[in-house]
Amino acid sequence: MIVEIVNTGTELMLGRVLNTHQQWLCARLADLGCVVSRQVAVADTAREIERAVRESLSRADVVIATGGLGPTSDDLTRAVLAEALGRELVEDAAVRAHIEEFFARRNRPPPPGTLVQARVPEGALVLPNPNGTAPGLIIEIAPNPMRVGGARGWLVMLPGPPRELQPMFDDSVAPWLLRTLPLRSGFVCRTFRLHGIGESSVQDRIAGPLEAMVAAGLDVGYCARPGRVDVRFRAEGESAGRLVDDAARVLDQHVGAFVFGTGEEELETVLVRRLTAAGCTVAIAESCTGGIIAHRLTNVPGASAVLLAGWVTYSNHAKQALLGVGADTLGRHGAVSDPVAREMAEGARRATRADYAMAVTGIAGPGGGTADKPVGTVFIAVAGPDETHVWKMFNPWDRATFKEVTANQAMDGLRRMLCGLPLEPRDVRQLVTPKPL
Amino acid sequence: MIVEIVNTGTELMLGRVLNTHQQWLCARLADLGCVVSRQVAVADTAREIERAVRESLSRADVVIATGGLGPTSDDLTRAVLAEALGRELVEDAAVRAHIEEFFARRNRPPPPGTLVQARVPEGALVLPNPNGTAPGLIIEIAPNPMRVGGARGWLVMLPGPPRELQPMFDDSVAPWLLRTLPLRSGFVCRTFRLHGIGESSVQDRIAGPLEAMVAAGLDVGYCARPGRVDVRFRAEGESAGRLVDDAARVLDQHVGAFVFGTGEEELETVLVRRLTAAGCTVAIAESCTGGIIAHRLTNVPGASAVLLAGWVTYSNHAKQALLGVGADTLGRHGAVSDPVAREMAEGARRATRADYAMAVTGIAGPGGGTADKPVGTVFIAVAGPDETHVWKMFNPWDRATFKEVTANQAMDGLRRMLCGLPLEPRDVRQLVTPKPL
């Protein structure tokens, strides 16, 4: 099954936007057992779109084209490809109704020109777009004259905005692929997410125990990011399920404490779930992380059941006035210190009467470092009913990565406290953030 | 000048890594006046690499291939393309010395196989790699038999890791391009960022006044996102600068109040700059935005000079206890209301003695909505020395987009207050978030 991707958009060719579709679609398709053989990006001119799609259709069973389905004069994909495939555009009543309702809800008449998105190539499968106006489209091309041998092909057209494309792919395209195409049978893929241990260390611990399974057909993949690593087990055929189950057991046995979730779960999702299950609440006192921990927690539906409040005490005065950190503590140890982190966490817990609190104080850079406390130095505190645990990390990354890495460390610390796991991994070497990639 | 990009790497086709080269290289080349006409990503097999590069060389003057220059068995680019172009690989003494020194500095002998990176295609221009071991390579192909007409072409090979490729492009490839190739003279490109007005409305107001300039060679592009639109003016040749200046004046004349920045500036960057210039401070009281406003502001270097503190008062109790919102106000109007937004902003300002404060209270969804206050309802307050302004928006998006859109609205509100602009655009219709794209 040959799949190619064509991403259209002049903004891509000018480098104005980052093409996230390529990674996202390739990962989704790989998880379905289908490796994309080529991805192409072209400007949104009629000539480039048609040429790229024709070339891909000369090689592939399925071509996924993204972008250009909107209502403006730049949006050519639908009309150009319908014409190239010899299909008339006809109005789809359901799509038209959806577009009209979309604007009605916003108390606006549909802007002129927007209803062109209700015109779909004759015979196309229309994919609903609850997050926007332009529907997705799937056209079957049987026979496919662009391909030697004329084998049947499909052209899938998806809207450009990721928040429209991604749910549409998951809800409509993936099920369509599974029922329409001969994807590999018995294909099993499971991903485990680990924090606080490096890729090489994981490999050291599990490669030996997994050797026999790998010989029996198990595929093991590692995807490392700063401070984290995903371990992916894939297998196909009759014994696929059993192989992956056995591999999961090996992983749990050797590095189980580091596994925080599966699939694409984030630490914040896991935390909200565990706190909710325990009927517990949390407060967050941030400084150098600037609000990212609260922001990530509140991305999780149901966070309001567990998060009482967060602070971003960016100045020393705010730490004192809002969290009760002692002027004396600040004076003696400085803002970036164990005692200040401890007082921030305990102050947050007191002020809200939350069961747990996380606090972070550190130096995000690029400025602010000293010989004693270089950029990347951070103290993290987790305060609970029984104890407050504080530990120091060194996260020498650019500011954005520093924030994410530090937020992960704080959240994983709370996860470990909730699970009764040691907060500092036994191998202290793992505390130091692994080499950047 | 036709330029194409070929990104090689099986990890790209599996979706394990994000392809940042495409955006980065396209943006750099666009700024040099050269728009990339096609980008392709393929797996790192000899067959795919050769086929993709041959196809690109059949169309382009310059082909930039990334990846596959390392020392492992996966790294095929150098050998495959040297053979395809009929060049012997010969050892370059300077590269060899660099590689040996690279490992000597780390107290390691060069790992077996790594010196293969010192073998370069005969006649290639060797580009130094201070951040890694594999050099970049530029091969001139004159005549180019793969291209109809045989016009001269160039193949540029760059290492995969961004921290090696980017400095190498800036230090070696860009200068080489400028001295070797007939890039457009007088290419001008300027982008303006607008908030609070939709793409169609901008087009309605400026298309007419710009008509003559477009006829004279001005290119106008729109890139819309929820609640925002970028307007891009491009022109080349002698009158390029004047055309773009005139277009900028038209934009300012008709929609100037909506323009918050240029290039790739974000609202938070502009705010930190304006607050710093005015010697003013700010505090942020968030609820449904969950910390994203503070997070974004603290992404800007220098934010510590202006941001005193932020709150995420996720519960009603936190709004009272931490910001001084009245129990009575909450009881009578509910958390999502004008008076509560006002009291949050004024409470934040009082608690920190900041000059300005932003506050947001609303319903991010997916749950929590009522007939009266559906999901997406939000009240935003900006409190300053002279007045507190509160306004209501309706942002019915998925939670992540809701947060970004609402954060933009709050920050743009403060921008307008700082600039003495009306906080509510004259056309009330623009208050409703424009159509998603």
Side-chain angles (χ1 to χ4, degrees), chain A residues 295-317:
Chain A
H295 167 45
R296 284 176 56 178
L297 266 166
T298 55
N299 280 339
V300 184
S304 57
V306 302
L307 176 66
L308 298 182
W311 287 260
V312 179
T313 48
Y314 220 53
S315 62
N316 279 6
H317 178 261

PDB file of all heavy atoms in Angstrom, chain A residues 295-317:
ATOM      1  N   HIS A 295      -0.943  26.110  32.692  1.00  0.00           N
ATOM      2  CA  HIS A 295      -1.474  26.101  31.330  1.00  0.00           C
ATOM      3  C   HIS A 295      -1.649  24.668  30.829  1.00  0.00           C
ATOM      4  O   HIS A 295      -2.708  24.295  30.300  1.00  0.00           O
ATOM      5  CB  HIS A 295      -0.515  26.878  30.427  1.00  0.00           C
ATOM      6  CG  HIS A 295      -0.742  26.709  28.955  1.00  0.00           C
ATOM      7  ND1 HIS A 295      -1.994  26.762  28.370  1.00  0.00           N
ATOM      8  CD2 HIS A 295       0.128  26.503  27.932  1.00  0.00           C
ATOM      9  CE1 HIS A 295      -1.874  26.586  27.064  1.00  0.00           C
ATOM     10  NE2 HIS A 295      -0.597  26.430  26.775  1.00  0.00           N
ATOM     11  N   ARG A 296      -0.654  23.831  31.062  1.00  0.00           N
ATOM     12  CA  ARG A 296      -0.762  22.452  30.586  1.00  0.00           C
ATOM     13  C   ARG A 296      -1.812  21.674  31.364  1.00  0.00           C
ATOM     14  O   ARG A 296      -2.599  20.917  30.789  1.00  0.00           O
ATOM     15  CB  ARG A 296       0.613  21.776  30.662  1.00  0.00           C
ATOM     16  CG  ARG A 296       1.549  22.225  29.536  1.00  0.00           C
ATOM     17  CD  ARG A 296       2.934  21.656  29.652  1.00  0.00           C
ATOM     18  NE  ARG A 296       2.948  20.203  29.710  1.00  0.00           N
ATOM     19  CZ  ARG A 296       4.058  19.479  29.773  1.00  0.00           C
ATOM     20  NH1 ARG A 296       5.232  20.078  29.786  1.00  0.00           N
ATOM     21  NH2 ARG A 296       3.992  18.172  29.846  1.00  0.00           N
ATOM     22  N   LEU A 297      -1.855  21.875  32.679  1.00  0.00           N
ATOM     23  CA  LEU A 297      -2.868  21.166  33.467  1.00  0.00           C
ATOM     24  C   LEU A 297      -4.273  21.555  33.027  1.00  0.00           C
ATOM     25  O   LEU A 297      -5.165  20.712  32.921  1.00  0.00           O
ATOM     26  CB  LEU A 297      -2.692  21.466  34.957  1.00  0.00           C
ATOM     27  CG  LEU A 297      -1.845  20.436  35.706  1.00  0.00           C
ATOM     28  CD1 LEU A 297      -1.437  20.959  37.068  1.00  0.00           C
ATOM     29  CD2 LEU A 297      -2.613  19.127  35.887  1.00  0.00           C
ATOM     30  N   THR A 298      -4.461  22.846  32.744  1.00  0.00           N
ATOM     31  CA  THR A 298      -5.799  23.299  32.357  1.00  0.00           C
ATOM     32  C   THR A 298      -6.135  22.977  30.903  1.00  0.00           C
ATOM     33  O   THR A 298      -7.221  23.285  30.435  1.00  0.00           O
ATOM     34  CB  THR A 298      -5.980  24.811  32.609  1.00  0.00           C
ATOM     35  OG1 THR A 298      -4.938  25.522  31.916  1.00  0.00           O
ATOM     36  CG2 THR A 298      -5.912  25.127  34.092  1.00  0.00           C
ATOM     37  N   ASN A 299      -5.196  22.372  30.190  1.00  0.00           N
ATOM     38  CA  ASN A 299      -5.522  21.850  28.868  1.00  0.00           C
ATOM     39  C   ASN A 299      -6.306  20.551  28.972  1.00  0.00           C
ATOM     40  O   ASN A 299      -6.896  20.091  27.997  1.00  0.00           O
ATOM     41  CB  ASN A 299      -4.241  21.556  28.062  1.00  0.00           C
ATOM     42  CG  ASN A 299      -3.645  22.811  27.456  1.00  0.00           C
ATOM     43  OD1 ASN A 299      -4.341  23.806  27.286  1.00  0.00           O
ATOM     44  ND2 ASN A 299      -2.368  22.760  27.152  1.00  0.00           N
ATOM     45  N   VAL A 300      -6.293  19.943  30.158  1.00  0.00           N
ATOM     46  CA  VAL A 300      -6.930  18.639  30.345  1.00  0.00           C
ATOM     47  C   VAL A 300      -8.380  18.826  30.786  1.00  0.00           C
ATOM     48  O   VAL A 300      -8.627  19.439  31.830  1.00  0.00           O
ATOM     49  CB  VAL A 300      -6.181  17.821  31.414  1.00  0.00           C
ATOM     50  CG1 VAL A 300      -6.804  16.424  31.537  1.00  0.00           C
ATOM     51  CG2 VAL A 300      -4.699  17.724  31.086  1.00  0.00           C
ATOM     52  N   PRO A 301      -9.346  18.327  30.017  1.00  0.00           N
ATOM     53  CA  PRO A 301     -10.733  18.447  30.458  1.00  0.00           C
ATOM     54  C   PRO A 301     -10.880  17.814  31.838  1.00  0.00           C
ATOM     55  O   PRO A 301     -10.351  16.742  32.080  1.00  0.00           O
ATOM     56  CB  PRO A 301     -11.515  17.654  29.398  1.00  0.00           C
ATOM     57  CG  PRO A 301     -10.630  17.633  28.204  1.00  0.00           C
ATOM     58  CD  PRO A 301      -9.222  17.635  28.731  1.00  0.00           C
ATOM     59  N   GLY A 302     -11.586  18.514  32.728  1.00  0.00           N
ATOM     60  CA  GLY A 302     -11.744  17.998  34.093  1.00  0.00           C
ATOM     61  C   GLY A 302     -10.727  18.552  35.062  1.00  0.00           C
ATOM     62  O   GLY A 302     -10.745  18.228  36.246  1.00  0.00           O
ATOM     63  N   ALA A 303      -9.824  19.410  34.569  1.00  0.00           N
ATOM     64  CA  ALA A 303      -8.814  19.985  35.465  1.00  0.00           C
ATOM     65  C   ALA A 303      -9.456  20.804  36.579  1.00  0.00           C
ATOM     66  O   ALA A 303      -8.906  20.910  37.677  1.00  0.00           O
ATOM     67  CB  ALA A 303      -7.850  20.861  34.667  1.00  0.00           C
ATOM     68  N   SER A 304     -10.611  21.389  36.300  1.00  0.00           N
ATOM     69  CA  SER A 304     -11.236  22.249  37.311  1.00  0.00           C
ATOM     70  C   SER A 304     -11.634  21.461  38.553  1.00  0.00           C
ATOM     71  O   SER A 304     -11.873  22.041  39.611  1.00  0.00           O
ATOM     72  CB  SER A 304     -12.457  22.965  36.733  1.00  0.00           C
ATOM     73  OG  SER A 304     -13.368  22.016  36.227  1.00  0.00           O
ATOM     74  N   ALA A 305     -11.703  20.139  38.435  1.00  0.00           N
ATOM     75  CA  ALA A 305     -12.033  19.333  39.611  1.00  0.00           C
ATOM     76  C   ALA A 305     -10.847  19.236  40.553  1.00  0.00           C
ATOM     77  O   ALA A 305     -11.008  18.931  41.739  1.00  0.00           O
ATOM     78  CB  ALA A 305     -12.470  17.931  39.187  1.00  0.00           C
ATOM     79  N   VAL A 306      -9.644  19.488  40.061  1.00  0.00           N
ATOM     80  CA  VAL A 306      -8.470  19.264  40.899  1.00  0.00           C
ATOM     81  C   VAL A 306      -7.582  20.494  41.098  1.00  0.00           C
ATOM     82  O   VAL A 306      -6.930  20.627  42.127  1.00  0.00           O
ATOM     83  CB  VAL A 306      -7.611  18.083  40.363  1.00  0.00           C
ATOM     84  CG1 VAL A 306      -8.449  16.806  40.293  1.00  0.00           C
ATOM     85  CG2 VAL A 306      -7.011  18.395  39.020  1.00  0.00           C
ATOM     86  N   LEU A 307      -7.554  21.394  40.125  1.00  0.00           N
ATOM     87  CA  LEU A 307      -6.679  22.569  40.254  1.00  0.00           C
ATOM     88  C   LEU A 307      -7.424  23.703  40.939  1.00  0.00           C
ATOM     89  O   LEU A 307      -8.435  24.183  40.431  1.00  0.00           O
ATOM     90  CB  LEU A 307      -6.190  23.042  38.878  1.00  0.00           C
ATOM     91  CG  LEU A 307      -5.351  24.329  38.918  1.00  0.00           C
ATOM     92  CD1 LEU A 307      -4.037  24.088  39.649  1.00  0.00           C
ATOM     93  CD2 LEU A 307      -5.084  24.837  37.513  1.00  0.00           C
ATOM     94  N   LEU A 308      -6.938  24.124  42.099  1.00  0.00           N
ATOM     95  CA  LEU A 308      -7.596  25.214  42.819  1.00  0.00           C
ATOM     96  C   LEU A 308      -7.055  26.563  42.368  1.00  0.00           C
ATOM     97  O   LEU A 308      -7.811  27.497  42.118  1.00  0.00           O
ATOM     98  CB  LEU A 308      -7.383  25.062  44.335  1.00  0.00           C
ATOM     99  CG  LEU A 308      -7.984  23.789  44.933  1.00  0.00           C
ATOM    100  CD1 LEU A 308      -7.756  23.747  46.436  1.00  0.00           C
ATOM    101  CD2 LEU A 308      -9.473  23.672  44.597  1.00  0.00           C
ATOM    102  N   ALA A 309      -5.732  26.676  42.284  1.00  0.00           N
ATOM    103  CA  ALA A 309      -5.148  27.954  41.872  1.00  0.00           C
ATOM    104  C   ALA A 309      -3.699  27.761  41.471  1.00  0.00           C
ATOM    105  O   ALA A 309      -3.049  26.783  41.841  1.00  0.00           O
ATOM    106  CB  ALA A 309      -5.226  28.976  43.007  1.00  0.00           C
ATOM    107  N   GLY A 310      -3.197  28.745  40.707  1.00  0.00           N
ATOM    108  CA  GLY A 310      -1.790  28.785  40.352  1.00  0.00           C
ATOM    109  C   GLY A 310      -1.302  30.212  40.484  1.00  0.00           C
ATOM    110  O   GLY A 310      -2.090  31.156  40.426  1.00  0.00           O
ATOM    111  N   TRP A 311       0.002  30.330  40.703  1.00  0.00           N
ATOM    112  CA  TRP A 311       0.614  31.652  40.757  1.00  0.00           C
ATOM    113  C   TRP A 311       1.804  31.676  39.816  1.00  0.00           C
ATOM    114  O   TRP A 311       2.446  30.644  39.579  1.00  0.00           O
ATOM    115  CB  TRP A 311       1.201  31.953  42.156  1.00  0.00           C
ATOM    116  CG  TRP A 311       0.250  32.226  43.248  1.00  0.00           C
ATOM    117  CD1 TRP A 311      -0.112  33.437  43.752  1.00  0.00           C
ATOM    118  CD2 TRP A 311      -0.423  31.249  44.055  1.00  0.00           C
ATOM    119  NE1 TRP A 311      -0.971  33.286  44.799  1.00  0.00           N
ATOM    120  CE2 TRP A 311      -1.176  31.950  45.015  1.00  0.00           C
ATOM    121  CE3 TRP A 311      -0.458  29.853  44.074  1.00  0.00           C
ATOM    122  CZ2 TRP A 311      -1.972  31.310  45.971  1.00  0.00           C
ATOM    123  CZ3 TRP A 311      -1.247  29.214  45.013  1.00  0.00           C
ATOM    124  CH2 TRP A 311      -1.993  29.949  45.946  1.00  0.00           C
ATOM    125  N   VAL A 312       2.092  32.855  39.299  1.00  0.00           N
ATOM    126  CA  VAL A 312       3.372  33.089  38.630  1.00  0.00           C
ATOM    127  C   VAL A 312       4.004  34.242  39.391  1.00  0.00           C
ATOM    128  O   VAL A 312       3.730  35.408  39.124  1.00  0.00           O
ATOM    129  CB  VAL A 312       3.193  33.437  37.141  1.00  0.00           C
ATOM    130  CG1 VAL A 312       4.558  33.693  36.493  1.00  0.00           C
ATOM    131  CG2 VAL A 312       2.469  32.319  36.413  1.00  0.00           C
ATOM    132  N   THR A 313       4.805  33.883  40.383  1.00  0.00           N
ATOM    133  CA  THR A 313       5.397  34.919  41.243  1.00  0.00           C
ATOM    134  C   THR A 313       6.743  35.300  40.648  1.00  0.00           C
ATOM    135  O   THR A 313       7.788  34.811  41.048  1.00  0.00           O
ATOM    136  CB  THR A 313       5.572  34.380  42.676  1.00  0.00           C
ATOM    137  OG1 THR A 313       6.194  33.080  42.604  1.00  0.00           O
ATOM    138  CG2 THR A 313       4.238  34.250  43.368  1.00  0.00           C
ATOM    139  N   TYR A 314       6.655  36.168  39.619  1.00  0.00           N
ATOM    140  CA  TYR A 314       7.839  36.430  38.797  1.00  0.00           C
ATOM    141  C   TYR A 314       8.856  37.313  39.506  1.00  0.00           C
ATOM    142  O   TYR A 314      10.023  37.315  39.163  1.00  0.00           O
ATOM    143  CB  TYR A 314       7.399  37.055  37.456  1.00  0.00           C
ATOM    144  CG  TYR A 314       8.175  36.535  36.274  1.00  0.00           C
ATOM    145  CD1 TYR A 314       8.293  35.173  36.033  1.00  0.00           C
ATOM    146  CD2 TYR A 314       8.791  37.417  35.383  1.00  0.00           C
ATOM    147  CE1 TYR A 314       9.011  34.692  34.961  1.00  0.00           C
ATOM    148  CE2 TYR A 314       9.515  36.942  34.294  1.00  0.00           C
ATOM    149  CZ  TYR A 314       9.622  35.582  34.087  1.00  0.00           C
ATOM    150  OH  TYR A 314      10.340  35.102  33.019  1.00  0.00           O
ATOM    151  N   SER A 315       8.410  38.096  40.497  1.00  0.00           N
ATOM    152  CA  SER A 315       9.338  38.969  41.222  1.00  0.00           C
ATOM    153  C   SER A 315       9.493  38.443  42.651  1.00  0.00           C
ATOM    154  O   SER A 315       8.637  37.710  43.151  1.00  0.00           O
ATOM    155  CB  SER A 315       8.777  40.397  41.276  1.00  0.00           C
ATOM    156  OG  SER A 315       7.544  40.390  41.990  1.00  0.00           O
ATOM    157  N   ASN A 316      10.599  38.806  43.279  1.00  0.00           N
ATOM    158  CA  ASN A 316      10.820  38.393  44.674  1.00  0.00           C
ATOM    159  C   ASN A 316       9.717  38.923  45.571  1.00  0.00           C
ATOM    160  O   ASN A 316       9.240  38.238  46.471  1.00  0.00           O
ATOM    161  CB  ASN A 316      12.186  38.898  45.166  1.00  0.00           C
ATOM    162  CG  ASN A 316      13.303  37.988  44.683  1.00  0.00           C
ATOM    163  OD1 ASN A 316      13.076  37.062  43.900  1.00  0.00           O
ATOM    164  ND2 ASN A 316      14.518  38.257  45.137  1.00  0.00           N
ATOM    165  N   HIS A 317       9.285  40.159  45.320  1.00  0.00           N
ATOM    166  CA  HIS A 317       8.224  40.756  46.133  1.00  0.00           C
ATOM    167  C   HIS A 317       6.952  39.942  46.033  1.00  0.00           C
ATOM    168  O   HIS A 317       6.255  39.723  47.031  1.00  0.00           O
ATOM    169  CB  HIS A 317       7.974  42.201  45.706  1.00  0.00           C
ATOM    170  CG  HIS A 317       6.862  42.840  46.481  1.00  0.00           C
ATOM    171  ND1 HIS A 317       5.572  42.961  45.991  1.00  0.00           N
ATOM    172  CD2 HIS A 317       6.829  43.342  47.736  1.00  0.00           C
ATOM    173  CE1 HIS A 317       4.801  43.534  46.907  1.00  0.00           C
ATOM    174  NE2 HIS A 317       5.543  43.772  47.969  1.00  0.00           N
TER     175      HIS A 317
END
